[in-house]
Amino acid sequence: MRFGYFDDANREYVITRPDTPLPWINYLGMQNYFSLVSNTAGGYAFYQDARLRRITRYRYNNVPLDMGGRYLYLRDQANGEFWSPTWMPTRHNAEDYTCRHGLGYSLIGSAYRGIRADVRFFVPLDASLEIWDLAVENLSDTPRSLSLFSSVEFCLWDALDDATNFQRNLNIGEVEVEGSVIYHKTEYRERRDHFAYFACSEPLEGFETQREAFLGPYRGWENPQAVESDHTAHSLGVGWSPVGVHHLRLNLAPGSKQRVIFLLGYHENPLDDKFSPPDSQTIHKGTVTPIIKKYLDPVHVDQAFDALRAAWDDLLGVLQVGSPNEHVDRMVNIWNAYQCMVTFNLSRSASYFESGIGRGMGFRDSNQDLLGFVQMVPERARQRLLDLAATQLENGGAYHQYQPLTKRGNDAVGSNFNDDPAWLVLGAAAYLKETGDWDILEEPVPYENQPGTEAPLLEHLQRCIQYTLDRLGPHGLPLIGRADWNDCLNLNTFSDQPGESFQTTTNRDGKVAESVVIAALFIMAAKELSAINVHLGLADESDRLNHLAAGMTETVWEHGWDGDWFLRAYDHFGDVVGSKTCTEGKIFIEPQGLCAMAGVGIEEGLAGRALKAVENYLATEHGILLLQPAFKQYYLHLGEISSYPPGYKENASVFCHTNPWVMIAEAILGDGDRALDYYLRINPSQREEISDLHRCEPYVYAQTIAGTDSTSFGEAKNSWLTGTAAWNYVAITQWILGIRPEFDGLRVEPVLPHGWDGFQATRKFRGATYEIQVVRQGKGNALSLSVDGEPIKGTLIPAPTADKVAVKAVIG
Ligand code: BGC
Ligand code: NOJ
């Protein structure tokens, strides 16, 4: 069952009923100001950092689930009836409800008793504010007199403190109102230099800034007293809970339409110029007034919206494909790329499953996310890499997370996730392959953000490799530390205390437990760095790294192969994890995909055997399970992985992030049918028709789909902020469609299913536009390429001499 449809021409998902199985959300903002907006206008906004600069309040795990956001109310003055055009919070019988989630904007509207109201939410490209562009239309044949109310609830900036420290917080709220602008200035009197504002384009009938004055005691957002009574008391919110509510009157002739613009924004003043007059406590508004004026002007609003659309045209224009499969095209051309940009902006911080107060920017996460967005925003990817490298420790290890506002490593979580460093090499390699910007390797970058410790980025990458070499276990495999890619395989934790963090508690010395996954990542990273050194003319270093990769490959053969698949790890006692000798958790997905990607056992045919085992034991109609059999009890020596009920999260769900590794491995082994089949099983668009089972948004990937051992097989959870986005993008675009940036140019090497007669694509790469035509003529994967009509040897296209390159690939 569906709850809407894809409008590909407009690049929108159109939700046609408000009661989706879960809130289906969208993200607004690309630079500093970000908003989450659900299909019924729920959600919140923040500036740069979802924890430290929260602009509006949102209550997670609320009942009803998605209550609180950007609510508008219309009131019919003739009979006192009131409703919200976005359905929530009044949940009246909305007619013709639609929510169009587009790229960086959402348009939500409905009709009720002859009044149509549509509101377009978006964040302009270069401004720290969101626009609510409302159009109210009288569809009836009588004049209508309406009251309109807007509402937001301000957050007192630090979202964690806001939700916990009430003895202080209920005393500190402060606002100002001037004309149609409500200013939220809690703590501005002391150390803050920022405030929020909520502006309206029209003169006001009234306003409220104190929540209880608006809602009335013992009432909720669904029936505010001020709306019911059509009376606003001009409350000034000192202490308690500051809100922003505008009250205005609309008189609409039959068929007429009125536009009202609201702005919710964030602004900073210089510390020495906060007040005007300077000796007062009144916000100096001179710096923000021009911004407010500009965006309350409908002409500017339309221009800003057009600019946003144009920016997305450019971003998505980097790669557009036309294939025989609409789910491939839709995800590659629109939604998967879009989700990759959202993970770039948000990492794992703020979604409807991530509260914005838990995790900042993940080190391994951000490096992987980069694989999915580097082609769209190479300059920003460059900065991201340098920021990540600057949190690296001198021993080559990495802070597992950092806060976006400060860009400092997060001490509470610390380091010792032993896979982290390898990802920096893989991220840097991806950046170099896309851009050819070799200069970045010379860029001076500090360790742990300490001035004076700067070293070229290249040295950081070398230390990443050394970090693993300095931490090898009894079998010569890398020690796992707190965890590897799988944060929940905690082999040194041994936690028997409820509430202890599985990832940061360490009760064993960590000198025994080893990871085959880190071994595979190490091989990949060492090979990449070796190739980078070839480019730099450092042949000896390149050989050394290749040698290290070969050595680790042998170790994996000797100690990481279980007979039919790759082992997962050795635990603290030196016993195998992910082996047929185990009673539970006999086979894990990660090493099967990653070892093949690292080139382990390709020629020998053993990688193929491992993939066969994946097919036999892990593949399901809803995707490939992380492990089998699921852990049915808690194992002290395995940690969080066994804390989840069977079939959920790391304990044997379809952990979507890992599936593309198998797709890539299948493509490397030349099986385009199976690669695409796996791809489609978790492709959100393909799953749209089972939205009632899948439940999450059909336009973006979720982190997990409940596995066969669960009670809800096929149900997705944790949508949006997941490495699934980047890796699926890489699998489909670089390995199945085979358009792959490499250090020396663009490779075109598709591995297609037999049923496809080809595809075409446009790819912008290092300043040139490649028009790629792929035609299947026979059954196999053999390829002959011609570039601008001339046949070339192999599949790597040499550096172009012109802006446009025509590539034809004949396959089969
Ligand atoms: C989750 C993991 C996540 C980890 C991050 C765990 O509870 O299951 O997916 O990586 O937390 O800290
Ligand atoms: C989600 C985390 O963000 C990611 O870093 C980790 O690799 C996966 N969970 C698997 O545990």
Side-chain angles (χ1 to χ4, degrees):
M1 179 186 164
R2 295 166 203 242
F3 293 80
Y5 60 91
F6 284 94
D7 177 348
D8 292 336
N10 278 312
R11 299 197 295 231
E12 291 170 340
Y13 190 79
V14 188
I15 301 166
T16 48
R17 48 186 287 184
D19 55 341
T20 47
L22 292 167
W24 285 1
I25 75 161
N26 194 12
Y27 285 87
L28 318 179
M30 295 275 277
Q31 303 278 349
N32 293 311
Y33 186 105
F34 296 102
S35 290
L36 287 73
V37 55
S38 74
N39 58 308
T40 57
Y44 61 95
F46 60 92
Y47 179 80
Q48 285 188 353
D49 190 311
R51 169 165 174 196
L52 300 173
R53 291 281 191 283
R54 189 76 67 96
I55 295 168
T56 54
R57 192 173 272 167
Y58 189 74
R59 292 173 186 79
Y60 277 87
N61 214 354
N62 207 347
V63 276
L65 186 53
D66 184 32
M67 179 60 88
R70 304 158 175 84
Y71 294 145
L72 294 167
Y73 303 83
L74 286 164
R75 181 182 192 277
D76 190 336
Q77 300 297 77
N79 56 16
E81 262 200 286
F82 62 90
W83 67 96
S84 295
T86 57
W87 187 64
M88 281 290 271
T90 55
R91 296 194 296 274
H92 59 291
N93 192 13
E95 299 151 27
D96 295 329
Y97 161 91
T98 50
C99 166
R100 290 181 167 266
H101 282 320
L103 308 186
Y105 67 91
S106 289
L107 180 61
I108 312 177
S110 63
Y112 188 68
R113 311 225 167 158
I115 300 293
R116 168 101 217 157
D118 294 278
V119 54
R120 179 168 71 167
F121 299 103
F122 72 101
V123 173
L125 287 173
D126 305 316
S128 292
L129 55 90
E130 62 181 58
I131 297 176
W132 310 4
D133 183 3
L134 171 72
V136 187
E137 188 177 2
N138 181 359
L139 304 175
S140 69
D141 49 15
T142 51
R144 302 287 289 271
S145 167
L146 305 168
S147 252
L148 167 68
F149 299 82
S150 68
S151 65
V152 293
E153 184 175 5
F154 292 111
C155 181
L156 310 182
W157 306 117
D158 180 330
L160 180 59
D161 200 65
D162 182 75
T164 47
N165 191 8
F166 301 107
Q167 60 81 26
R168 170 177 164 83
N169 290 341
L170 299 179
N171 295 286
I172 62 174
E174 285 192 293
V175 298
E176 277 178 37
V177 183
E178 204 176 285
S180 297
V181 190
I182 295 164
Y183 296 87
H184 172 232
K185 60 166 192 176
T186 298
E187 291 186 344
Y188 188 73
R189 56 168 40 243
E190 26 119 354
R191 293 156 296 177
R192 294 190 184 274
D193 59 357
H194 48 264
F195 56 88
Y197 56 90
F198 189 31
C200 173
S201 59
E202 308 305 310
L204 303 186
E205 172 71 21
F207 63 85
E208 300 290 7
T209 67
Q210 188 57 271
R211 192 179 70 207
E212 194 169 275
F214 178 59
L215 297 181
Y218 294 96
R219 286 176 176 239
W221 298 98
E222 63 274 18
N223 63 342
Q225 193 168 58
V227 179
E228 191 179 285
S229 64
D230 195 37
H231 174 73
T232 36
H234 301 199
S235 57
L236 278 179
V238 179
W240 297 112
S241 303
V243 298
V245 170
H246 302 102
H247 177 197
L248 41 156
R249 291 264 156 78
L250 308 179
N251 288 303
L252 296 178
S256 71
K257 199 172 183 170
Q258 186 171 344
R259 193 168 171 187
V260 184
I261 294 162
F262 298 95
L263 307 178
L264 178 63
Y266 170 95
H267 192 73
E268 285 174 6
N269 267 341
L271 272 175
D272 57 359
D273 195 15
K274 285 179 22 172
F275 304 107
S276 175
D279 56 356
S280 76
Q281 290 289 299
T282 311
I283 297 175
H284 172 212
K285 306 189 181 73
T287 51
V288 74
T289 307
I291 301 173
I292 296 178
K293 214 172 147 220
K294 174 174 172 189
Y295 288 104
L296 285 179
D297 174 354
V299 175
H300 273 118
V301 170
D302 291 339
Q303 278 171 3
F305 187 72
D306 292 345
L308 179 68
R309 297 277 290 203
W312 277 105
D313 285 345
D314 281 353
L315 291 173
L316 298 182
V318 174
L319 176 63
Q320 288 289 299
V321 305
S323 83
N325 188 299
E326 64 169 341
H327 306 297
V328 170
D329 290 3
R330 182 177 285 149
M331 292 310 292
V332 169
N333 294 341
I334 308 169
W335 293 101
N336 195 176
Y338 182 58
Q339 186 177 3
C340 287
M341 282 301 292
V342 172
T343 64
F344 162 60
N345 287 324
L346 280 300
S347 188
R348 305 295 172 270
S349 68
S351 73
Y352 266 34
F353 302 88
E354 299 279 5
S355 63
I357 56 180
R359 303 200 271 165
M361 312 291 285
F363 190 88
R364 82 158 80 84
D365 294 332
S366 295
N367 275 302
Q368 289 173 85
D369 293 343
L370 192 138
L371 307 178
F373 65 73
V374 60
Q375 73 288 358
M376 291 184 277
V377 283
E379 303 79 23
R380 298 183 75 189
R382 184 180 211 273
Q383 191 55 49
R384 175 62 55 79
L385 266 179
L386 298 175
D387 289 347
L388 285 163
T391 66
Q392 190 182 20
L393 310 176
E394 286 190 272
N395 70 3
Y399 274 105
H400 196 50
Q401 289 163 15
Y402 72 94
Q403 279 308 123
L405 197 66
T406 60
K407 295 191 178 178
R408 295 291 159 119
N410 180 345
D411 281 318
V413 181
S415 173
N416 292 337
F417 294 77
N418 284 352
D419 66 314
D420 270 334
W423 294 112
L424 181 63
V425 181
L426 298 177
Y431 172 77
L432 288 169
K433 288 177 183 180
E434 181 66 37
T435 60
D437 169 22
W438 295 94
D439 292 348
I440 194 177
L441 295 169
E442 284 156 35
E443 201 67 46
V445 183
Y447 290 99
E448 258 191 278
N449 297 101
Q450 290 307 314
T453 62
E454 287 80 3
L457 179 64
L458 181 65
E459 188 186 305
H460 283 254
L461 303 185
Q462 283 155 351
R463 290 198 193 187
C464 289
I465 298 291
Q466 193 57 40
Y467 180 87
T468 304
L469 294 174
D470 291 344
R471 286 165 185 75
L472 297 178
H475 299 92
L477 291 163
L479 290 170
I480 197 167
R482 287 175 163 178
D484 60 23
W485 171 87
N486 191 329
D487 269 330
C488 299
L489 189 62
N490 314 122
L491 303 181
N492 295 303
T493 297
F494 285 79
S495 173
D496 55 9
Q497 293 304 307
E500 255 178 0
S501 157
F502 283 106
Q503 277 98 39
T504 57
T505 304
T506 304
N507 286 318
R508 292 298 181 272
D509 64 9
K511 297 211 170 80
V512 180
E514 298 167 295
S515 161
V516 177
V517 160
I518 302 182
L521 294 173
F522 175 83
I523 297 167
M524 280 190 243
K527 285 183 178 171
E528 295 287 28
L529 196 54
S530 166
I532 289 170
N533 275 283
V534 170
H535 255 268
L536 301 176
L538 302 170
D540 289 350
E541 179 60 4
S542 165
D543 288 349
R544 185 183 77 90
L545 288 159
N546 262 337
H547 192 70
L548 290 169
M552 188 61 80
T553 303
E554 257 172 54
T555 308
V556 171
W557 278 133
E558 238 172 277
H559 301 292
W561 177 251
D562 194 49
D564 284 307
W565 56 78
F566 293 98
L567 285 173
R568 180 62 177 82
Y570 287 91
D571 67 19
H572 167 72
F573 307 104
D575 292 332
V576 284
V577 177
S579 156
K580 55 172 158 290
T581 60
C582 302
T583 40
E584 296 180 341
K586 287 173 189 286
I587 173 169
F588 282 64
I589 189 174
E590 306 100 306
Q592 321 314 330
L594 290 172
C595 285
M597 285 166 66
V600 183
I602 303 284
E603 278 101 48
E604 298 85 342
L606 295 179
R609 245 158 87 188
L611 293 185
K612 193 78 200 152
V614 168
E615 188 194 347
N616 290 342
Y617 301 114
L618 299 178
T620 78
E621 70 204 269
H622 295 296
I624 311 170
L625 301 169
L626 192 142
L627 65 92
Q628 277 293 288
F631 298 111
K632 297 203 174 50
Q633 65 179 77
Y634 174 58
Y635 292 100
L636 189 64
H637 67 293
L638 298 181
E640 186 171 4
I641 195 164
S642 58
S643 75
Y644 288 110
Y648 293 99
K649 287 279 281 180
E650 278 85 346
N651 189 10
S653 76
V654 173
F655 208 94
C656 296
H657 185 140
T658 60
N659 281 218
W661 297 338
V662 174
M663 298 166 204
I664 295 170
E666 290 289 1
I668 290 173
L669 292 182
D671 196 330
D673 285 310
R674 193 159 298 130
L676 188 79
D677 177 16
Y678 286 150
Y679 171 79
L680 290 173
R681 291 186 203 195
I682 62 166
N683 177 304
S685 162
Q686 162 107 352
R687 295 174 65 77
E688 185 200 13
E689 59 184 308
I690 52 164
S691 287
D692 44 338
L693 172 65
H694 184 79
R695 301 190 82 222
C696 280
E697 295 91 334
Y699 40 93
V700 290
Y701 286 95
Q703 183 192 52
T704 68
I705 297 174
T708 39
D709 303 275
S710 76
T711 54
S712 54
F713 180 38
E715 178 192 28
K717 258 185 221 150
N718 299 3
S719 55
W720 281 98
L721 302 183
T722 159
T724 311
W727 276 110
N728 274 281
Y729 190 80
V730 169
I732 184 70
T733 62
Q734 298 193 16
W735 295 93
I736 300 177
L737 301 176
I739 303 173
R740 193 156 68 240
E742 293 197 355
F743 294 117
D744 297 315
L746 191 65
R747 193 174 290 282
V748 175
E749 200 173 274
V751 180
L752 299 185
H754 283 103
W756 278 24
D757 53 7
F759 71 91
Q760 58 84 21
T762 306
R763 173 66 150 95
K764 295 194 178 131
F765 178 69
R766 299 196 197 171
T769 302
Y770 293 67
E771 292 294 347
I772 302 166
Q773 190 75 40
V774 177
V775 184
R776 183 182 275 295
Q777 277 184 357
K779 286 199 156 66
N781 290 329
L783 276 163
S784 19
L785 251 66
S786 54
V787 175
D788 294 327
E790 296 294 320
I792 63 160
K793 265 211 177 115
T795 53
L796 187 69
I797 301 166
T801 46
D803 298 353
K804 286 203 182 311
V805 187
V807 180
K808 177 144 189 206
V810 176
I811 188 166

